Amino acid sequence: MQDNISQLVLAATVSFLFIIIIFSFFFFICRYQKPSNYAHHRTRRSDRPGTRTVPNLELSTINIDDSASFDPSLNRVSMEELKTATRNFSADLIIGDGSFGLVYKAQLSTGNTVAIKKLAPDAFQGFREFRAEMETLGKLRHRNIVKMLGYCMSGEDRVLIYEFIEKGSLDQWLHDASYSSEYSVKLPLSWETRNKIVNGVADGLAYLHGLDTPIIHRDIKAGNVLLDSEFEAHIADFGLARRVDSSCSHVSTQVAGTMGYMPPEYKNGLMTATVKADVYSFGMLMLEIATGQRPNLPIMMEGKEVVLIEWARKMLEESRHWEMLDPSMIKEGVREDSVKEYLDIATWCTSESRKDRPCMGEVIDLLNHLNSIEEK
């Protein structure tokens, strides 16, 4: 009888321990599993060639209270209204993926159509980008810089509200054959339109660099240039932007930007970001706009793979500038002398040494001269 009781106690103990083990297993699985919907959309957009941003993870104190020096003219919108406007942040309304968050198209109760960026749930990165954008973009007013309209702070949630730019990103117009917009039919961009976009980005950067306390964007690329109904360019996504001191530099513990657009000094271990880093990225963007080639994808040349900047320098050495143009673009009416001058400007901006690159004010002068050639 005693043996039977001992066996029952042992069996009950083993069963209890087994249940505890099973419960613990499922608890840890649930605890570390990422939200499936967010992960799906994040991967689908960020893994496109040429669009991955290298975040700056430098450590500093992040103050997230309401006392930050935000523009008082910005509207503070409630989370309840944002959930209503986005149908609880429905995946159907996603129109893009910023450096640290998904972007949704929505209509507020005022009737205004806006773009809403809900920052990623990672508290550190989300708070950092929120503060960076609020303290830079929140105070900027320029026709070639996307306008911030409002924000939301609710618990750990941080949401930014921007004007809605109808035609989407330049990246979509250059590289996404399947891209379509309810506002227009996608056609290859003309040479005239490409020049207009370049001029718009240059004007926006010259404004940023010319402020009393200059701002370095640090992630100029096709995906961060939005196009309105008139194909006017608007620089977007200031999550990596930094104000700089009188030396026009910012000391960072890690590089920030997107592969292919980042200047060579970053590869050599120089961690001081300057306005000349933006100039290099702008030059790479000029090459991308003219050629239709992504800056970080290989191009076959003489039987080997090279990146865009290597290919461009070799082609220009051989005076093959006309062959460099995007094959999808209609070239009727395009002047060879203006193409050559355009590519010369891009080449100067992408000089290996940052000391050899022009400032954006000089670039504006060169582009104005190019425009005068086009008008003759």
Side-chain angles (χ1 to χ4, degrees):
M1 180 67 174
Q2 188 172 0
D3 289 341
N4 290 338
I5 292 174
S6 298
Q7 290 176 359
L8 288 173
V9 170
L10 179 61
T13 301
V14 170
S15 298
F16 179 76
L17 290 174
F18 180 77
I19 292 171
I20 291 295
I21 292 171
I22 293 296
F23 177 82
S24 300
F25 174 80
F26 282 107
F27 173 82
F28 282 107
I29 288 293
C30 294
R31 173 67 178 82
Y32 291 104
Q33 187 175 17
K34 294 182 179 180
S36 59
N37 287 342
Y38 178 82
H40 167 72
H41 290 291
R42 188 73 174 168
T43 302
R44 178 164 56 89
R45 287 168 174 78
S46 296
D47 285 351
R48 290 182 304 181
T51 61
R52 184 174 296 280
T53 295
V54 179
N56 181 287
L57 299 178
E58 57 196 11
L59 298 177
S60 65
T61 301
I62 301 174
N63 180 10
I64 59 172
D65 63 22
D66 290 348
S67 64
S69 54
F70 302 156
D71 186 341
S73 68
L74 294 174
N75 295 319
R76 182 164 182 171
V77 182
S78 71
M79 180 57 73
E80 290 71 25
E81 179 170 357
L82 294 181
K83 286 182 177 180
T84 300
T86 60
R87 301 200 300 270
N88 199 23
F89 297 98
S90 169
D92 295 337
L93 297 177
I94 294 173
I95 57 174
D97 188 357
S99 52
F100 297 122
L102 296 173
V103 182
Y104 301 80
K105 179 184 175 182
Q107 188 174 62
L108 299 179
S109 58
T110 58
N112 294 332
T113 300
V114 297
I116 294 175
K117 178 159 67 174
K118 188 174 188 293
L119 299 179
D122 182 306
F124 182 83
Q125 290 184 353
F127 292 153
R128 172 174 288 285
E129 179 172 15
F130 180 80
R131 190 172 186 85
E133 295 224 24
M134 290 292 288
E135 294 187 350
T136 53
L137 183 56
K139 298 179 180 180
L140 301 179
R141 295 294 180 267
H142 188 276
R143 68 172 185 166
N144 296 114
I145 295 176
V146 69
K147 185 178 180 181
M148 181 179 287
L149 303 176
Y151 65 99
C152 173
M153 296 191 294
S154 177
E156 292 190 350
D157 287 324
R158 295 292 181 270
V159 183
L160 298 166
I161 304 168
Y162 313 91
E163 62 178 328
F164 177 71
I165 308 297
E166 299 92 332
K167 291 185 181 294
S169 76
L170 174 60
D171 185 275
Q172 292 167 316
W173 281 85
L174 289 176
H175 305 298
D176 190 351
S178 65
Y179 175 69
S180 62
S181 167
E182 61 185 289
Y183 298 94
S184 61
V185 176
K186 181 179 181 296
L187 296 171
L189 298 172
S190 68
W191 180 248
E192 180 183 8
T193 299
R194 293 174 198 238
N195 273 280
K196 180 177 182 177
I197 293 168
V198 165
N199 278 271
V201 177
D203 284 344
L205 276 178
Y207 166 76
L208 293 174
H209 294 177
L211 293 170
D212 290 340
T213 305
I215 292 176
I216 311 174
H217 186 278
R218 301 205 302 170
D219 199 18
I220 293 296
K221 61 180 179 180
N224 286 341
V225 175
L226 304 180
L227 305 175
D228 66 18
S229 59
E230 301 299 321
F231 284 98
E232 190 72 50
H234 299 256
I235 300 173
D237 205 332
F238 281 69
L240 297 178
R242 294 292 182 270
R243 292 186 179 274
V244 296
D245 59 23
S246 57
S247 67
C248 293
S249 67
H250 167 79
V251 179
S252 173
T253 56
Q254 290 192 4
V255 298
T258 299
M259 299 301 294
Y261 296 90
M262 290 190 292
E265 56 262 29
Y266 284 5
K267 301 173 187 175
N268 298 330
L270 183 63
M271 296 302 181
T272 303
T274 72
V275 292
K276 294 297 184 73
D278 276 354
V279 173
Y280 182 91
S281 300
F282 172 76
M284 291 304 305
L285 181 64
M286 284 188 72
L287 291 175
E288 181 179 11
I289 290 172
T291 66
Q293 301 283 350
R294 289 192 183 276
N296 68 334
L297 289 188
I299 302 172
M300 289 302 299
M301 188 175 200
E302 299 176 353
K304 65 176 183 178
E305 292 184 346
V306 296
V307 294
L308 175 59
I309 186 62
E310 297 175 277
W311 174 79
R313 286 173 180 157
K314 181 67 173 176
M315 294 289 282
L316 290 171
E317 284 175 6
E318 299 174 0
S319 298
R320 297 167 64 186
H321 49 275
W322 189 257
E323 297 175 48
M324 294 173 64
L325 293 179
D326 187 343
S328 71
M329 184 182 72
I330 297 174
K331 299 175 182 61
E332 184 178 352
V334 179
R335 297 178 49 163
E336 283 200 49
D337 55 345
S338 68
V339 171
K340 185 177 186 307
E341 182 154 347
Y342 174 104
L343 294 171
D344 284 344
I345 298 170
T347 302
W348 190 17
C349 290
T350 53
S351 297
E352 282 289 313
S353 171
R354 67 181 182 182
K355 295 180 180 179
D356 294 335
R357 297 170 205 150
C359 66
M360 288 308 301
E362 292 175 296
V363 173
I364 294 294
D365 291 339
L366 293 170
L367 291 174
N368 287 337
H369 181 259
L370 176 60
N371 294 335
S372 67
I373 294 176
E374 293 281 351
E375 291 170 0
K376 290 179 180 179

